[in-house]
Amino acid sequence: MDPRQDSCVPSPGPLYGRDHERAEIAAVLAGARIGRGGAVAVLAESGMGRSALLDAVAADVSGFGVRRIAGAAPEAEVQAAGLHRLLVPLAGAVRALPGAQGRVLEEVLAGAAPAAGELRLGVALLRLLASAARVRPQLWCVDDAHWLDETSLRALGFVARRLAELPAALVIAADPDSRADVALDGVPVLGLRPLAPDAAGRLVAGLGCGPPGTGPADEIVDLAAGSPLALVELAQAAEARQQPGPYLPAPVSRLRTRCRRRLAGLSPGARAVVALTLAGGPLPTGALSAAAVRYGQPRESVDAALEEARSASLVETGSGRVRVPGRLLRSVLAAEVPWAEQLAAHRALAALAGCGISRPRQALHRLAAAEGPWPELVAELESAAGTVRAGEPTEAATVLEQGADFIAQPRVQARWLVTAAADRLAAGGVRRACWLLDRVPPHCGSAATRGLRKLVQGEIELRSAVPALAGRHLARAVELIPADQRETLARALMLAGEATYVAGDFTGYFALADRARRLRRDDDPPALRLVLEHFAGMSATFRGHHEEANRALGRVVRLAGTAGGPEPEIWASQAAYTLGDLRHAHTLAASAVHGAGELGAHALVPAALVYQALSALMLDRHAAAEAAALEGLRLARSTGQRNLAVDHLSLLALLAALQGDRATVSLRLGTAAHEVAARELGRPGAFNCWASACLDLVEDRPADALARFSHMSTGTGQTNLAIRGMAAPHFVEAAVRCGRRDEAVTALRGFESWAVSSAAPSRLALAHRCHGLLAEDELSAEEHFTEALRLHRDDDAALEMAKTELFYANRLRRARRPRAARGLLRDALAIFQQCEALPWAARAAAELRAAGDRAGPAVQPVGRQLTAQQIRISELVAQGATNQEIAELLVLSSRTVEYHLRNVFSRLSVRSRTELAALFR
């Protein structure tokens, strides 16, 4: 065959989440194209998409001759069989090789084991590749190399290490920790990580399982844990799914077949270990040994049986426990291990006393082993789950979820599945919670069960989908939850209020506040009283009745200590923030973050971090605010709470806008824009308008800023009253600079009423600054600006103080008092430079020149000190992150990361990332 003729290259489908790997291989191919070839060993477990990657690489490349072979298990011990498959299409090129080299390869084609030795065989194969590469560059792709025979594998490894001067590339894919790994020593390795959830969601959507965010798609993504093969096989099985239940690959799928073969190859003792681990895992090793004896296995054989099961990758060990690795394998094993073996395992575990098995697990084993659904066993399991819910919601959910598989009573099953969904959601498992709710028929269960279901549905919608729809679910939950479940009722009511607030539906919020007022009773528990007072206080705030609001919100803050738990602390943090007690708001939010982590209520942490970041921002602690928002963004994404992720993105955009960083503002707003519009997210939408207006003001476009404020509304058509109030000082600044004094006065009136009622120094300082901007005489302006500066100093608000100094200096210069202006401007410039607020520094420098400072705006020396942003970037470099990965984590552009790193290198006198990493380890 002519070496210019490509072998058959399949047309691959879309390849998701492998951009980095494709770029790495593309770099090798680019080198080969100009005569500097190379090789890549793609080492990854079966099912991680090795073949799909090779398909894509072969299809992407142009101008290359492409050859593909794959190892085959039946030929793994047939020496030179792999080379024979490679050489058959190249028989003509082999015969054209000169002398001994051609004869070596002709022996392989003739079916004879090469007698010339490894060196001559490798040299002959290299010469063949070089000969073909003279016509055009060559790409050889070898899949499943772990199934190649030793002779072929070693010959290919020999060639792979000698391509530096050839226009040729080898891409060889294999299992890690196989003989291929040894034969390819010295060849650069490229691993395949599990697909990220967004890439996995796109893959599943492309297979017809609905878009990310829908129940089936999210459950498949969660089960597959990033395995492309699992995603494909689960999606295919989902199309044929007839009834609710666990998602499983088809019985004939590769995953199920592989598991079935491994099970079939186990000894009876190892099968017992698998059954016991499936029934009780994670199991303490001592409990496993004791249960295996009751199962009928000799005590002395248990360790060997455990090792056999572990070697088959059906169980894993660690920290003194044995478990089934991964939800998907657990589901597959539950389908493949006969029920008789599982029942025997439950009975063996139920007979154990102690041995480190928790009370909920013991109750679960007794229920599974019982011959009927005895009421006392149902009550025991519910009580046992309740004892661990406060600290281990995932464990509570697990026993109820598994218990639902053993119970034949539909109402009990519905109650357990819905309660398990609530526990999963509290622990941050949005996808799993959705799947559990899907297992329950809509009208099944008591009113309390249906009310709890609506509460869980509403909270999922609030955090991940459309808040307006969440409000309807939560309002229905309030109707269904029995009156004697006062704390659950309080939570449903509070979340319904939050849904209307996030959506920007303040008419709906006021209606809920009226409903809350009618619920009051003298014997209300603290948690319910806190909710009712919160509604009273916030609705009064939105209506501008600040004295009434202060009394109610003060009671909310005081009740936080008696209501107990992180969620009341989050609500109290919002109340304290509204009161202007920013330090207390920050303390309450930080306490909620800590408490939620301690209780395993991971879903609450991103919500608490919203108020921690917001209060830090208003305290002018920008580094602390950014750190909290970035952590909130990371956790919101990891727990599937997309709307909270958008909240944190909006806060990050506002932070960047206050510093005048256009590139970062644009990136962060652009990342959030589609989701804000698609789900009509009023709160982050208003924050985004505010951030854009702040940036317009920095860049001297007050008319554009004013127009932004006019768009601070949502799909409801209502202006966001809360954020409009917080943004009033910037609105005043824009209106004054546009000559629209009356609008500025009206906006200031409402803000000042709030500031005075709260007595918060930060708000009072901004109110005085606004008065200074509006003042018609110099004496009044001086009084207000001077008081604003005093309050800023008392509040340690450096950046806002610098802005006030800039505005005051501008007024002084225009009043022909340049000497007084210059002192303020020098202070402001130093602060802007220290905070790296470069556009503000440029404005201060221009004002300083206009005020006659002939020395010019010399940059203040900062020595070796780094900003908080530079420290974060340096720490990520030390962890091995690339610039692109850092940009994605911090929601920055790659150019911004590069800019910061150049400054870091200069300030620390380092010349490489390695030297920088050494300083931060």
Side-chain angles (χ1 to χ4, degrees):
M1 177 179 284
D2 188 333
R4 292 173 294 184
Q5 178 65 45
D6 287 356
S7 59
C8 181
V9 177
S11 299
L15 188 65
Y16 299 99
R18 296 298 185 213
D19 292 345
H20 169 71
E21 292 82 357
R22 291 172 88 164
E24 290 286 320
I25 296 173
V28 174
L29 293 173
R33 197 180 294 276
I34 59 173
R36 294 198 293 269
V40 176
V42 180
L43 300 183
E45 297 290 346
S46 177
M48 290 305 294
R50 297 182 315 230
S51 299
L53 178 61
L54 264 61
D55 288 344
V57 168
D60 286 347
V61 71
S62 62
F64 277 67
V66 181
R67 302 287 163 212
R68 291 203 60 179
I69 64 166
E75 298 181 5
E77 302 304 325
V78 180
Q79 292 311 304
L83 284 179
H84 186 269
R85 285 202 305 284
L86 175 67
L87 295 176
V88 165
L90 299 172
V94 169
R95 286 191 291 271
L97 286 178
Q101 292 172 351
R103 287 194 295 275
V104 169
L105 298 182
E106 285 176 6
E107 286 181 2
V108 175
L109 280 172
E118 288 186 15
L119 179 60
R120 288 189 178 181
L121 179 61
V123 169
L125 190 61
L126 183 63
R127 181 65 179 271
L128 176 66
L129 179 57
S131 176
R134 289 194 192 100
V135 179
R136 60 172 166 169
Q138 294 292 302
L139 168 63
W140 287 3
C141 296
V142 182
D143 201 2
D144 291 336
H146 51 281
W147 290 123
L148 287 178
D149 59 278
E150 192 72 25
T151 298
S152 300
L153 191 53
R154 293 175 71 86
L156 286 166
F158 181 94
V159 170
R161 289 185 285 270
R162 289 165 173 80
L163 297 178
E165 304 300 326
L166 289 180
L170 260 66
V171 182
I172 305 175
D175 280 349
D177 303 319
S178 65
R179 61 184 178 182
D181 197 2
V182 177
L184 297 174
D185 187 32
V187 177
V189 172
L190 181 63
L192 294 183
R193 292 176 290 187
L195 291 182
D198 60 336
R202 293 197 304 273
L203 172 56
V204 169
L207 294 169
C209 288
T214 58
D218 282 351
E219 172 63 6
I220 288 170
V221 168
D222 195 50
L223 265 176
S227 165
L229 176 62
L231 288 163
V232 169
E233 294 193 340
L234 284 166
Q236 291 170 343
E239 289 188 281
R241 194 164 179 258
Q242 300 295 321
Q243 59 186 6
Y247 284 86
L248 277 173
V252 295
S253 65
R254 283 171 58 188
L255 288 172
R256 289 277 295 271
T257 301
R258 185 189 307 159
C259 181
R260 196 178 305 120
R261 286 174 178 166
R262 289 176 181 175
L263 268 174
L266 294 180
S267 66
R271 286 184 69 94
V273 165
V274 171
L276 288 164
T277 307
L278 176 64
L283 270 176
T285 52
L288 175 67
S289 297
V293 172
R294 289 185 174 274
Y295 196 94
Q297 300 301 313
R299 184 179 298 276
E300 61 274 11
S301 69
V302 173
D303 288 346
L306 174 58
E307 179 57 28
E308 183 184 349
R310 193 193 64 77
S311 297
S313 299
L314 297 176
V315 303
E316 64 181 11
T317 57
S319 303
R321 291 180 174 269
V322 186
R323 60 183 59 80
V324 175
R327 282 186 61 210
L328 179 57
L329 179 57
R330 181 179 183 83
S331 297
V332 169
L333 284 173
E336 295 293 339
V337 175
W339 173 243
E341 294 180 31
Q342 295 185 52
L343 181 60
H346 280 294
R347 286 174 174 163
L349 290 164
L352 294 182
C355 293
I357 299 178
S358 68
R359 179 187 163 198
R361 296 282 176 164
Q362 289 177 326
L364 176 68
H365 298 316
R366 281 193 283 273
L367 177 70
E371 295 181 1
W374 306 113
E376 60 269 23
L377 294 176
V378 170
E380 179 190 13
L381 184 61
E382 291 181 342
S383 173
T387 62
V388 299
R389 179 165 290 117
E392 298 178 86
T394 298
E395 176 70 0
T398 297
V399 295
L400 289 174
E401 183 181 334
Q402 293 181 18
D405 293 334
F406 304 140
I407 200 81
Q409 299 174 15
R411 288 171 70 90
V412 174
Q413 187 180 55
R415 181 168 74 244
W416 285 1
L417 289 173
V418 170
T419 305
D423 291 332
R424 291 287 182 192
L425 183 60
V430 172
R431 295 187 182 96
R432 189 76 174 272
C434 290
W435 174 69
L436 287 167
L437 291 182
D438 286 345
R439 291 183 60 186
V440 183
H443 303 294
C444 186
S446 65
T449 298
R450 287 182 280 120
L452 181 59
R453 178 182 181 147
K454 284 293 181 184
L455 173 56
V456 176
Q457 283 180 317
E459 188 172 2
I460 291 170
E461 286 282 343
L462 171 60
R463 303 301 184 208
S464 308
V466 181
L469 179 58
R472 293 196 286 272
H473 282 308
L474 291 162
R476 180 60 177 153
V478 172
E479 295 172 355
L480 288 169
I481 293 169
D484 60 344
Q485 295 183 11
R486 303 289 280 172
E487 294 198 10
T488 304
L489 183 62
R491 189 165 187 274
L493 193 60
M494 191 67 182
L495 291 175
E498 186 180 349
T500 58
Y501 170 48
V502 172
D505 179 10
F506 287 88
T507 300
Y509 189 91
F510 295 144
L512 283 169
D514 290 340
R515 185 172 186 174
R517 187 174 60 253
R518 294 193 296 271
L519 284 175
R520 287 181 182 270
R521 291 193 332 205
D522 292 339
D523 62 344
D524 285 332
L528 181 54
R529 278 190 287 140
L530 184 149
V531 167
L532 301 180
E533 295 289 2
H534 194 283
F535 267 110
M538 293 306 297
S539 59
T541 297
F542 298 150
R543 288 184 166 115
H545 303 158
H546 295 297
E547 293 300 328
E548 177 188 343
N550 288 354
R551 290 191 293 272
L553 294 175
R555 289 190 287 271
V556 171
V557 174
R558 290 190 292 275
L559 281 166
T562 56
E567 201 160 33
E569 285 185 317
I570 296 172
W571 301 333
S573 176
Q574 184 188 19
Y577 176 85
T578 306
L579 286 169
D581 191 351
L582 300 177
R583 287 179 173 79
H584 199 180
H586 190 273
T587 299
L588 284 165
S591 177
V593 169
H594 176 75
E598 290 285 306
L599 294 174
H602 303 299
L604 292 178
V605 176
L609 284 167
V610 167
Y611 288 101
Q612 187 173 333
L614 189 56
S615 55
L617 170 61
M618 296 307 164
L619 285 167
D620 214 24
R621 300 175 185 169
H622 286 207
E626 186 168 43
L630 286 168
E631 179 67 2
L633 174 63
R634 183 186 69 81
L635 292 173
R637 285 173 168 171
S638 70
T639 54
Q641 300 183 87
R642 296 183 295 165
N643 293 347
L644 282 172
V646 173
D647 278 334
H648 285 290
L649 272 171
S650 298
L651 283 172
L652 288 165
L654 180 59
L655 273 162
L658 292 172
Q659 292 184 305
D661 184 349
R662 168 164 287 282
T664 301
V665 172
S666 299
L667 177 66
R668 291 170 175 175
L669 290 182
T671 304
H674 172 72
E675 295 184 81
V676 168
R679 299 197 293 278
E680 295 185 353
L681 303 179
R683 180 171 65 188
F687 267 118
N688 291 351
C689 286
W690 184 9
S692 298
C694 287
L695 193 60
D696 290 333
L697 287 171
V698 174
E699 296 178 347
D700 201 24
R701 296 198 307 274
D704 290 345
L706 211 55
R708 305 273 191 193
F709 286 115
S710 69
H711 298 144
M712 197 178 277
S713 61
T714 66
T716 64
Q718 302 179 48
T719 297
N720 191 294
L721 302 175
I723 297 172
R724 185 187 67 179
M726 289 189 281
H730 294 104
F731 178 88
V732 170
E733 180 188 345
V736 167
R737 290 168 64 183
C738 290
R740 292 161 68 170
R741 179 182 173 79
D742 291 345
E743 293 175 52
V745 169
T746 300
L748 176 56
R749 188 180 299 121
F751 180 80
E752 187 172 30
S753 172
W754 184 31
V756 170
S757 69
S758 69
S762 59
R763 291 177 187 157
L764 289 170
L766 295 175
H768 279 290
R769 183 167 84 191
C770 291
H771 276 295
L773 291 169
L774 282 163
E776 295 182 327
D777 62 88
E778 298 309 315
L779 180 60
S780 175
E782 183 173 355
E783 288 176 354
H784 283 296
F785 277 125
T786 301
E787 180 62 9
L789 291 173
R790 183 190 68 78
L791 289 164
H792 284 315
R793 290 189 190 97
D794 290 347
D795 204 40
D796 294 326
L799 192 59
E800 287 303 323
M801 183 176 73
K803 293 174 186 177
T804 300
E805 287 177 325
L806 176 61
F807 298 151
Y808 185 19
N810 175 266
R811 177 117 189 189
L812 289 171
R813 181 179 63 78
R814 288 188 288 108
R816 302 191 180 190
R817 296 172 61 189
R819 180 177 297 179
R822 287 196 292 267
L824 291 168
L825 289 167
R826 291 190 190 102
D827 288 344
L829 179 59
I831 292 170
F832 291 143
Q833 288 172 338
Q834 183 63 41
C835 295
E836 293 204 335
L838 300 184
W840 284 104
R843 280 184 61 180
E847 278 289 334
L848 197 52
R849 288 192 296 274
D853 189 332
R854 297 186 183 279
V859 176
Q860 300 297 315
V862 293
R864 296 169 63 84
Q865 184 178 355
L866 300 182
T867 65
Q869 184 80 287
Q870 291 168 345
I871 291 171
R872 274 195 293 275
I873 290 172
S874 299
E875 289 171 342
L876 290 169
V877 168
Q879 294 168 21
T882 65
N883 284 5
Q884 183 60 42
E885 289 168 338
I886 293 169
E888 291 171 0
L889 285 168
L890 302 184
V891 203
L892 301 170
S893 69
S894 294
R895 292 181 64 184
T896 300
V897 174
E898 291 165 7
Y899 164 78
H900 281 303
L901 279 175
R902 284 197 301 271
N903 286 339
V904 168
F905 279 30
S906 174
R907 292 182 183 186
L908 299 184
S909 299
V910 297
R911 293 173 295 178
S912 69
R913 298 172 80 92
T914 303
E915 289 182 22
L916 177 61
L919 294 176
F920 280 83
R921 285 188 181 126

